[in-house]
Amino acid sequence: MNSAINRQFRLKYRPEHRVTRDHFDFVEEPLPQPGPGQALLRNLYLSLDPTNRIWMSDMEQYMPPVQLGDVMRGSGIAQVIASQDPHYQVGDLVMGLIGWQDYTMTDQALRYAPLPKGLPLDLPTVLGVLGPTGLTAYFGLLEVGQPKSGETVVISAAAGAVGSIVGQIAQLKGCRAVGITGSSEKCAWLTGELGFAAAVNHRDLGWKDQLKQACPNGVDINFENVGGEILDTVSSLLKLRARIVLCGLISAYNNGHSMASRADLVPILMKRARIEGFIVLDFAERFAEAQAELGQWLIAGKLKHRETIVEGLEHVPEAFNKLFDGDKIGKLMVKIADPQ
Amino acid sequence: MNSAINRQFRLKYRPEHRVTRDHFDFVEEPLPQPGPGQALLRNLYLSLDPTNRIWMSDMEQYMPPVQLGDVMRGSGIAQVIASQDPHYQVGDLVMGLIGWQDYTMTDQALRYAPLPKGLPLDLPTVLGVLGPTGLTAYFGLLEVGQPKSGETVVISAAAGAVGSIVGQIAQLKGCRAVGITGSSEKCAWLTGELGFAAAVNHRDLGWKDQLKQACPNGVDINFENVGGEILDTVSSLLKLRARIVLCGLISAYNNGHSMASRADLVPILMKRARIEGFIVLDFAERFAEAQAELGQWLIAGKLKHRETIVEGLEHVPEAFNKLFDGDKIGKLMVKIADPQ
């Protein structure tokens, strides 16, 4: 070990709006040694995801909120550096809930999954495409959205970690992917490298007309990450029996304790459409199957990806806001340490 | 024929808010004789339904809007009084789109269905329970909601034509029906004669707590007719993978040309719930099957019902507002004439 201390961001106050460093205590704890049935992990890459913002609030949610005083929860990749648990061997690379800290002590209640073996992929790629965000894209589009060849799939936050994968899987399945994103640079990435059929910048004055023109036959599937005006605009273009895959509502996450994100249901009624919420954890039994297929696509060059990597655990709170500022492209993560 | 004239309400202006008589021309036309392939119907009972209000607007909707100058569209029961169409015999009783008028000339594009035969039921019962509203209740709950025995089904506008049937079918299928309605008299009807497990009056100050107490294990299915605050309140009680059967959004129908009804999607996301819009016309192929089962339940005394019947075509515009004022119970209809 390089260090005998474990730096940790512990949740101090629940943010109502934008997250700041002041919402956390940045503490240093002595590094414990694993007891029987435990393993000690060195955290390497921490994933930053919009859903982390939900965990900071005490609203009713799909997992228990992070308790005040606890280490902030986060997914990532780590390496086993000491083990008294036969499931983990020193040197193993694993993925799971590591938290905003330098080291993680494993907990019997949480399973840390070994990284998929035999794939010639670097760790950021594995975390982004084979981790929670890639899996969210995979199951959300294929299981909840049920895309059929020839359909038009509109994706909001399309240049994000989830959206960029959703659009490419849609294209692989014979659909037309249309992305909504927040800059012309991101639009160019989507329609260029990623092969989206079209992309519109919601900061352009005429974006609603552009979206309509990009969907001349209407929208079969909306993969929704944002909510608010963006969702209502897509809803106005829904086809009969369209499906809205409700993955996230990021436009509401910094809007105070009583987080709410309202959407017009009149088009849902008129078009006999469906809105369905989902959480990737519901598909945990099938993660390995999905990772195998995503891995194949990656190796075949069919899934392009980009990462925005911030160096240093100490920068996590500021890095986190890049999710809300649109100030990054692809998958956002923090590099904490190199593997040994 | 008693009269050689046909009185008609023709749409003159599109209402933005509440409907008044001034939105129509009440005209008298000479009664035409049917040509080849036509039949003339005397209208007997006109159904008044919230969805009529949508037809008066020119928003994008599930059928073409009623055009300015045209007879206002409406469902009802009529009797064939002259026919040059072999499908219709003089004296036949039929159900279909008759319009706000004394007589209807059949149109090849519209099918008027013969009333179910051999059922000892009066015409208002047939129109209410075996007509569009009863069919809406049947297909919405059973096909879209997919109720399972033991589940809790919450119904808004529960003492209305659709809601009162939904709750009784839910109970017949082994579910707990919980109604939301607008008076203590209606609550008493729901839990008394109709056998709902519970009913709450949304005009009571404490109705949200009452609803929560009436659903101690949460809500599996919400049959939604209203929208707005009522829907958001039910959404806060949804169980994991709950279904919202989106049948209507009556709270928005008088809210101006750009009708919108916003609902909070955060609980939909957190509970992995589903909102699905539907229109009864999508099930037209199966109406006879549903009418047979509804008819059996009626004859066996398992479906109770009430009608609010206004006498006289001339009163239709004022009668129509009873749908929005809560000023009626059960199925609202206007009696135009007696059968011969």
Side-chain angles (χ1 to χ4, degrees), chain B:
Chain B
M1 278 165 252
N2 293 328
S3 157
I5 62 147
N6 183 21
R7 296 175 300 162
Q8 304 178 315
F9 284 99
R10 291 182 172 270
L11 188 62
K12 186 176 179 184
Y13 304 114
R14 298 196 183 280
E16 191 159 351
H17 302 290
R18 190 178 174 84
V19 171
T20 70
R21 177 166 292 268
D22 295 339
H23 292 107
F24 301 91
D25 278 321
F26 192 40
V27 301
E28 300 192 349
E29 301 235 328
L31 197 59
Q33 291 305 310
Q38 287 186 316
L40 184 65
L41 313 178
R42 185 202 306 275
N43 299 336
L44 307 180
Y45 286 92
L46 172 68
S47 176
L48 294 180
D49 302 298
T51 203
N52 304 158
R53 181 64 184 78
I54 295 173
W55 301 342
M56 294 175 196
S57 89
D58 58 0
M59 65 176 294
E60 193 170 350
Q61 52 193 274
Y62 63 95
M63 288 175 79
V66 174
Q67 296 303 307
L68 293 182
D70 280 0
V71 177
M72 178 60 205
R73 188 191 292 146
S75 304
I77 287 177
Q79 187 168 36
V80 180
I81 56 170
S83 177
Q84 291 207 51
D85 180 335
H87 291 100
Y88 304 108
Q89 307 304 318
V90 171
D92 283 356
L93 293 166
V94 297
M95 190 151 50
L97 290 176
I98 61 173
W100 292 15
Q101 56 186 347
D102 286 310
Y103 298 90
T104 305
M105 190 67 77
T106 62
D107 179 321
Q108 292 290 339
L110 291 175
R111 196 173 54 106
Y112 293 84
L115 295 200
K117 300 261 190 277
L119 295 174
L121 302 170
D122 58 26
L123 295 181
T125 303
V126 171
L127 182 58
V129 184
L130 305 187
T133 42
L135 293 166
T136 296
Y138 183 93
F139 288 108
L141 179 64
L142 298 180
E143 295 299 319
V144 186
Q146 296 281 333
K148 292 180 248 329
S149 183
E151 291 190 326
T152 296
V153 181
V154 170
I155 303 124
S156 56
V162 173
S164 59
I165 303 296
V166 170
Q168 292 180 87
I169 298 176
Q171 295 274 149
L172 285 170
K173 296 294 179 182
C175 298
R176 290 184 69 245
V178 176
I180 303 174
T181 185
S183 76
S184 53
E185 179 202 354
K186 290 176 181 175
C187 285
W189 182 55
L190 295 177
T191 54
E193 194 176 344
L194 268 51
F196 278 51
V200 303
N201 175 358
H202 65 78
R203 292 193 167 96
D204 279 354
L205 217 58
W207 78 274
K208 295 181 183 183
D209 286 334
Q210 290 168 31
L211 183 68
K212 192 170 180 178
Q213 285 160 23
C215 305
N217 301 316
V219 174
D220 297 281
I221 297 179
N222 175 32
F223 196 103
E224 188 56 48
N225 293 308
V226 176
E229 188 186 7
I230 287 180
L231 173 52
D232 278 349
T233 303
V234 179
S235 288
S236 72
L237 303 174
L238 293 180
K239 287 172 71 172
L240 202 65
R241 279 177 260 283
R243 291 86 77 197
I244 295 181
V245 180
L246 188 61
C247 176
L249 293 161
I250 193 173
S251 64
Y253 293 175
N254 279 340
N255 283 354
H257 283 310
S258 56
M259 188 188 296
S261 182
R262 291 198 162 72
D264 184 14
L265 297 187
V266 170
I268 306 304
L269 178 60
M270 297 305 163
K271 296 302 169 63
R272 293 83 121 182
R274 189 182 74 192
I275 303 178
E276 190 162 350
F278 84 104
I279 301 288
V280 69
L281 294 172
D282 296 338
F283 298 93
E285 299 293 313
R286 295 176 52 197
F287 281 177
E289 165 201 330
Q291 287 169 328
E293 186 160 23
L294 289 162
Q296 295 291 328
W297 285 332
L298 272 173
I299 292 165
K302 291 178 178 170
L303 278 187
K304 305 291 172 40
H305 54 94
R306 229 190 254 187
E307 291 80 35
T308 298
I309 304 178
V310 174
E311 300 258 348
L313 177 71
E314 62 277 16
H315 299 304
V316 169
E318 293 78 15
F320 183 71
N321 283 313
K322 290 179 179 287
L323 293 166
F324 297 88
D325 299 339
D327 180 22
K328 57 97 198 168
I329 201 161
K331 173 71 189 167
L332 179 65
M333 60 185 74
V334 171
K335 181 177 176 181
I336 299 174
D338 278 310
Q340 301 296 308

Side-chain angles (χ1 to χ4, degrees), chain A residues 129-191:
Chain A
V129 185
L130 304 187
T133 43
L135 294 167
T136 295
Y138 184 94
F139 289 108
L141 179 64
L142 298 180
E143 294 299 320
V144 185
Q146 297 281 334
K148 292 182 249 326
S149 183
E151 290 190 325
T152 296
V153 180
V154 171
I155 302 125
S156 55
V162 173
S164 58
I165 303 295
V166 170
Q168 293 180 86
I169 298 176
Q171 294 274 151
L172 285 170
K173 295 294 179 182
C175 298
R176 289 183 69 246
V178 176
I180 304 173
T181 186
S183 76
S184 53
E185 179 202 354
K186 289 176 182 177
C187 286
W189 182 55
L190 295 177
T191 55

Side-chain angles (χ1 to χ4, degrees), chain A residues 36-62:
Chain A
Q38 289 186 316
L40 184 66
L41 313 178
R42 183 200 308 272
N43 299 336
L44 307 179
Y45 286 92
L46 172 68
S47 176
L48 294 180
D49 303 299
T51 201
N52 303 158
R53 182 63 183 80
I54 296 173
W55 301 343
M56 294 176 197
S57 88
D58 58 359
M59 65 176 294
E60 193 170 349
Q61 51 192 274
Y62 63 95

